[in-house]
């Protein structure tokens, strides 16, 4: 960190100045700078107007004097055309340097030219002599600051040119002061902006960066800032870190509650499967089908190992589909030739992360309630990725069967995401648990749709965000 002088620390870093700095810089940039620009504009306009006024006064005085010379020439009082331009030179010399015309004779940068035919030009010198000018009279008339006197019937023409600083000498002093302030303010405006950037813009960028990082990592905090940052933003950063700590603590508490609820939801799925398995093993033992009992027992071991494992809240689509295949093997032992199962999944979707039992719950529901005693049913699972409206990716999972369908009153409960209670008072929680878990994992980013008709099968469509683990993302990248 840069070391500052004791004077800098005493003046600039004092609390009163630290509080005033952002407001002072903003006021200067927002008020003083525009006012200075206005002053600069007024100064330039005033200079132009002053030049016009001075030129007008000079021209009027000059024109009046030359009119007198022309009149005296006509009356015969003088003969300015004798040995032209020598005869005219004394009168113009008097006018140019000695006559009471302060705006002309005070300017040593002015020049007086005379011409008889409008082409040949003669320069009248200060000592009353003259010399022929190399430039033509017509080209001299193109000078920006000049005045031309010519009159119909008069045998001569007179052109006076003025230097640029002649008009500037007539600008009022207060205009020069305004111009100087404006130029000074414009000159130091980069310094003012740099100060404003450090006091306001950079802290705002720090805050925006902190908000973005906090969305990715709830443990992110704004680092300790140097004294360059104003007290207002220091307090804002402290409040942000405090609120971030509260949000993180609340988030961790919610996660623990959700994990507890997830465990409860997972355990509610198991009892009926366990009882059915005991009954199935007993029946197979009575028939002494020991090979089937071994196969069935191994499938059950894999089933309960997957269902009861802890510490893994998400699984891949591949793991879930393998578990569904294992579940289907169990059901085929229980219900031979009663249904067929097929799945189709895009290869890049096999590594996508989903909650466990998300697909299995709906497949299990089809084997329990959709079986038709008269004809076998078909269960189809499809998984693919699609792009959403915001340009992101989402996972689309469809579970379809050709079974007996869902009764309207049950379908209504599912559409409302409520558990169904039958006439006997039994609460059916399998699909409701699945809906609840999607809500816990994804909030409003996940959705489930049901379509069904009695005797026409059931279609379940799950739409959830497409996500991979960090390792999987690196491999695909």
């Amino acid at each position: 960190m840069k070391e500052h002088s004791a004077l800098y620390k005493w003046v600039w870093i004092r609390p009163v100045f630290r509080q005033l700095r952002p407001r002072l810089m903003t006021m200067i940039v927002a008020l003083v700078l525009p006012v200075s620009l206005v002053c600069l504009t007024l100064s330039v306009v005033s200079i132009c107007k002053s030049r016009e006024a001075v030129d007008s006064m000079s021209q009027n005085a000059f024109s009046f004097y030359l009119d007198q010379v022309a009149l005296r020439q006509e009356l015969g009082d003088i003969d300015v055309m004798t040995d032209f331009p020598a005869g005219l030179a004394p009168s113009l010399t008097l006018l140019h340097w000695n006559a009471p015309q302060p705006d002309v004779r005070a300017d040593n940068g002015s020049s007086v030219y005379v011409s008889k035919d409008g082409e040949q030009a003669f320069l009248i010198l200060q000592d009353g002599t003259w010399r022929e000018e190399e430039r033509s009279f017509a080209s001299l008339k193109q000078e920006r600051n000049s005045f031309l006197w010519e009159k119909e019937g008069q045998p001569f023409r007179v052109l006076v040119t003025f230097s640029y600083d002649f008009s500037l000498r007539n600008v009022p002093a207060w205009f020069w002061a305004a111009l100087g302030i404006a130029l000074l303010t414009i000159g130091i405006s980069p310094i003012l902006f740099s100060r404003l950037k450090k006091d306001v813009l950079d802290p705002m960028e720090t805050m925006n960066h902190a908000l973005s990082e906090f969305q990715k990592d709830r443990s992110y905090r704004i680092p300790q800032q140097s004294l360059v940052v104003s007290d207002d933003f220091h307090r804002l950063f402290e409040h942000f870190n405090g609120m971030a700590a509260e949000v993180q603590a609340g988030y961790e508490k919610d996660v623990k509650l959700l994990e507890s609820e997830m465990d409860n939801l997972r355990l509610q799925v198991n009892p009926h499967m366990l009882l059915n398995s005991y009954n199935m093993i007993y029946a197979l033992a009575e028939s002494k089908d020991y090979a089937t009992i071994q196969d069935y027992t191994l499938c059950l071991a894999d089933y309960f190992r997957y269902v009861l494992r802890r510490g893994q809240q998400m699984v891949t689509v591949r793991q879930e589909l393998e578990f569904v295949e294992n579940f289907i093997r169990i059901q085929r032992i229980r219900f031979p030739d009663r249904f067929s199962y097929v799945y189709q999944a895009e290869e890049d979707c096999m590594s996508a992360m989903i909650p466990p039992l998300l697909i299995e719950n709906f497949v299990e529901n089809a084997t329990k309630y959709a079986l038709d005693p008269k004809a076998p049913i078909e269960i189809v699972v499809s998984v693919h990725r699609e792009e959403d409206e915001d340009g992101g990716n989402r996972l689309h999972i469809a579970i379809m069967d050709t079974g007996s369908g869902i009764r309207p009153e049950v379908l209504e409960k599912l559409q409302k995401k409520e558990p169904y209670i039958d006439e006997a008072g039994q609460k059916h929680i399998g699909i409701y648990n699945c809906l609840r878990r999607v809500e816990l994992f994804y909030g409003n980013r996940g959705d489930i749709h049901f379509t069904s008709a009695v005797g026409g099968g059931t279609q379940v469509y799950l739409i959830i965000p497409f996500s991979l683990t960090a390792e999987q993302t690196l491999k695909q990248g």
Side-chain angles (χ1 to χ4, degrees):
M1 181 173 153
K2 183 180 178 180
E3 281 292 330
H4 297 287
S5 64
L7 180 62
Y8 179 91
K9 294 180 180 179
W10 186 83
V11 175
W12 194 249
I13 308 183
R14 292 182 68 187
V16 62
F17 285 104
R18 290 168 55 80
Q19 294 179 5
L20 289 178
R21 268 174 13 211
R23 299 165 179 81
L24 180 62
M25 298 304 163
T26 303
M27 181 183 66
I28 291 176
V29 173
L31 297 178
V32 177
L33 185 58
V35 170
S36 300
L37 292 175
V38 171
C39 291
L40 176 61
T41 303
L42 291 177
S43 299
V44 173
V45 172
S46 299
I47 290 174
C48 295
K49 293 298 182 182
S50 177
R51 286 185 52 205
E52 293 178 3
V54 172
D55 289 346
S56 177
M57 289 187 296
S58 300
Q59 292 169 5
N60 289 338
F62 197 39
S63 181
F64 177 73
Y65 183 81
L66 290 175
D67 287 344
Q68 288 184 325
V69 173
L71 179 60
R72 294 177 63 188
Q73 168 72 19
E74 292 180 0
L75 295 177
D77 292 345
I78 58 175
D79 186 7
V80 297
M81 299 304 296
T82 302
D83 298 327
F84 183 88
L88 189 60
S91 298
L92 294 180
T93 302
L94 178 65
L95 167 69
H96 190 39
W97 288 283
N98 300 319
Q101 308 296 332
D103 45 59
V104 177
R105 65 185 176 87
D107 179 38
N108 293 328
S110 62
S111 301
V112 180
Y113 301 91
V114 296
S115 177
K116 185 188 300 186
D117 55 7
E119 290 296 332
Q120 187 179 20
F122 300 92
L123 173 63
I124 306 303
L125 302 177
Q126 185 174 359
D127 58 2
T129 60
W130 57 272
R131 65 176 173 83
E132 187 174 353
E133 181 65 23
E134 296 180 357
R135 298 172 59 188
S136 66
F137 193 79
S139 64
L140 291 171
K141 288 193 298 183
Q142 303 302 319
E143 292 288 340
R144 181 177 180 182
N145 302 306
S146 62
F147 167 67
L148 173 65
W149 182 92
E150 59 182 356
K151 216 166 192 181
E152 187 177 355
Q154 294 300 324
F156 62 93
R157 301 171 180 84
V158 179
L159 176 70
V160 180
T161 61
F162 300 95
S163 61
Y164 179 73
D165 62 345
F166 170 74
S167 58
L168 297 181
R169 296 176 198 165
N170 297 274
V171 177
W174 66 273
F175 277 112
W176 289 113
L179 179 61
I181 294 174
L183 293 176
L184 178 62
T185 305
I186 293 175
I188 65 175
S189 59
I191 301 175
L192 298 178
F193 178 78
S194 175
R195 190 70 256 175
L196 178 65
K197 183 175 182 295
K198 291 181 180 179
D199 282 334
V200 179
L201 301 182
D202 287 347
M204 289 179 63
E205 181 63 28
T206 300
M207 178 59 71
N208 288 333
H209 176 73
L211 292 173
S212 300
E213 290 297 322
F214 185 72
Q215 291 179 349
K216 304 174 185 176
D217 180 11
R218 298 186 186 276
S219 63
Y220 180 82
R221 300 293 183 270
I222 298 178
Q224 182 66 32
Q225 302 294 308
S226 65
L227 294 177
V228 175
V229 179
S230 64
D231 285 351
D232 294 334
F233 279 101
H234 265 297
R235 287 193 295 270
L236 185 61
F237 293 162
E238 291 174 359
H239 290 323
F240 174 86
N241 288 339
M243 288 187 291
E246 294 178 2
V247 171
Q248 183 182 14
Y251 174 77
E252 292 175 352
K253 181 179 179 181
D254 291 342
V255 168
K256 292 179 180 179
L257 292 175
L258 292 178
E259 290 177 349
S260 176
E261 185 173 355
M262 287 294 299
D263 290 339
N264 293 333
L265 291 174
R266 184 165 54 245
L267 291 174
Q268 291 178 28
V269 179
N270 301 325
H272 74 275
M273 181 66 180
L274 187 60
L275 293 176
N276 291 335
S277 300
Y278 286 153
N279 291 331
M280 186 64 190
I281 293 174
Y282 179 80
L284 292 173
E286 279 191 333
S287 63
K288 299 182 180 181
D289 189 353
Y290 301 119
T292 304
I293 291 176
Q294 290 176 333
D295 187 25
Y296 189 77
T297 304
L298 290 175
C299 290
L300 284 179
D302 291 337
Y303 175 88
F304 285 108
R305 186 181 299 111
Y306 184 87
V307 170
L308 298 176
R309 75 191 187 285
R310 298 179 59 87
Q312 187 178 5
Q313 293 296 334
M314 302 288 280
V315 297
T316 64
V317 171
R318 187 185 306 277
Q319 290 174 313
E320 179 73 3
L321 291 177
E322 290 175 353
F323 173 70
V324 172
E325 284 193 281
N326 183 72
F327 173 78
I328 291 295
R329 288 178 60 191
I330 294 173
Q331 299 306 314
R332 280 176 173 161
I333 294 174
R334 294 181 59 197
F335 307 104
D337 303 322
R338 296 289 301 277
F339 60 87
S340 62
Y341 166 75
V342 64
Y343 75 87
Q344 181 180 10
E346 296 176 354
E347 183 59 32
D348 60 343
C349 295
M350 298 296 281
S351 300
M353 305 301 293
I354 61 173
L357 306 178
L358 182 65
I359 300 176
E360 188 274 342
N361 274 341
F362 294 101
V363 174
E364 180 180 352
N365 200 68
T367 62
K368 288 173 59 179
Y369 301 108
L371 288 180
D372 189 342
K374 299 180 180 179
I377 69 168
E378 183 178 5
I379 301 175
V380 179
V381 176
S382 173
V383 184
H384 68 275
R385 178 166 59 174
E386 60 184 21
E387 187 173 331
D388 58 20
E389 297 80 3
D390 299 328
N393 290 322
R394 57 186 181 183
L395 195 66
H396 192 283
I397 303 173
I399 302 101
M400 300 166 283
D401 66 70
T402 59
S404 58
I406 303 176
R407 299 194 307 274
E409 63 272 17
V410 179
L411 183 61
E412 181 181 0
K413 288 291 185 180
L414 295 178
Q415 299 287 15
K416 293 181 179 179
K417 296 180 174 56
E418 298 176 357
Y420 172 69
I421 302 176
D422 59 22
E423 296 177 355
Q426 183 180 0
K427 186 177 181 181
H428 297 261
I429 61 172
I431 294 181
Y432 170 74
N433 284 350
C434 196
L435 297 173
R436 178 62 178 149
R437 287 189 297 126
V438 169
E439 181 182 356
L440 292 175
F441 273 102
Y442 302 109
N444 58 7
R445 296 182 301 159
D447 198 7
I448 301 179
H449 298 287
F450 299 88
T451 60
S452 182
V454 176
T458 301
Q459 299 80 41
V460 182
Y461 303 101
L462 295 87
I463 301 175
I464 59 177
F466 184 91
S467 62
L468 300 171
T469 63
E471 294 81 3
Q472 292 165 344
T473 303
L474 290 175
K475 289 180 181 179
Q476 290 197 1

